[in-house]
């Protein structure tokens, strides 16, 4: 007797769908600043990339996943600063150094990712709290 296979809908795909729905809804209603919508899009994309690499075996997504993960705290910081403190300035582009460094580590020292990515989240989280 053939085994019955249940179709799977991984949690990251569900999270990406919910975040994408929030993004579409906020865009249609013109609610929220553009940088916040970009953060929402990045989080939805990260969830989808996670699902593609972990559940669907897409190797390219696994290579991209650490870099997009490192972009989340930097974009969260920029979203916080530009919506709560001051206008966006060209110096905000300096926050691309973190994701670029993670890309470097991904290529040359993947072991360092276990330290660098949590350090980025911790550093930006503490900066937002302070």
């Amino acid at each position: 007797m053939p085994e019955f296979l249940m179709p799977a809908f991984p949690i990251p795909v569900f999270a990406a769908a919910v975040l994408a729905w929030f993004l579409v809804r906020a865009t249609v209603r013109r609610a929220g600043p553009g940088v916040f919508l970009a953060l929402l899009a990045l989080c939805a994309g990260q969830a989808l990339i996670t699902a593609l690499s972990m559940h669907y075996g897409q190797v390219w997504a696994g290579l991209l996943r650490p870099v997009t993960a490192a972009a989340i705290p930097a974009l969260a910081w920029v979203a916080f600063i530009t919506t709560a403190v001051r206008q966006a300035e060209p110096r905000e582009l300096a926050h691309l150094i973190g994701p670029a460094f993670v890309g470097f580590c991904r290529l040359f020292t993947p072991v360092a990712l276990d330290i660098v990515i949590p350090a980025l989240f911790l550093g930006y989280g503490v900066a937002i709290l302070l």
Side-chain angles (χ1 to χ4, degrees):
M1 175 176 256
E3 182 179 323
F4 178 73
L5 296 176
M6 184 109 164
F9 192 66
I11 292 173
V13 174
F14 178 75
V18 169
L19 289 169
W21 182 77
F22 284 146
L23 177 64
V24 168
R25 187 170 181 231
T27 302
V28 167
R29 292 183 177 197
R30 295 185 189 351
V35 69
F36 175 73
L37 298 177
L39 178 61
L40 201 56
L42 179 61
C43 290
Q46 179 66 22
L48 186 60
I49 287 170
T50 299
L52 288 172
S53 68
M54 297 182 80
H55 297 283
Y56 298 110
Q58 299 295 315
V59 176
W60 65 268
L63 298 173
L64 186 62
R65 192 174 64 202
V67 178
T68 55
I72 291 173
L75 190 56
W77 168 259
V78 172
F80 170 72
I81 288 297
T82 59
T83 57
V85 179
R86 60 178 160 72
Q87 293 291 325
E89 298 175 0
R91 67 180 176 177
E92 309 302 346
L93 293 175
H95 295 284
L96 293 175
I97 293 171
F101 182 65
V102 167
F104 173 82
C105 289
R106 178 70 183 98
L107 293 174
F108 300 106
T109 57
V111 176
L113 292 175
D114 291 339
I115 296 170
V116 174
I117 294 174
L120 283 171
F121 274 89
L122 180 66
Y124 278 106
V126 168
I128 289 173
L129 285 174
L130 295 178

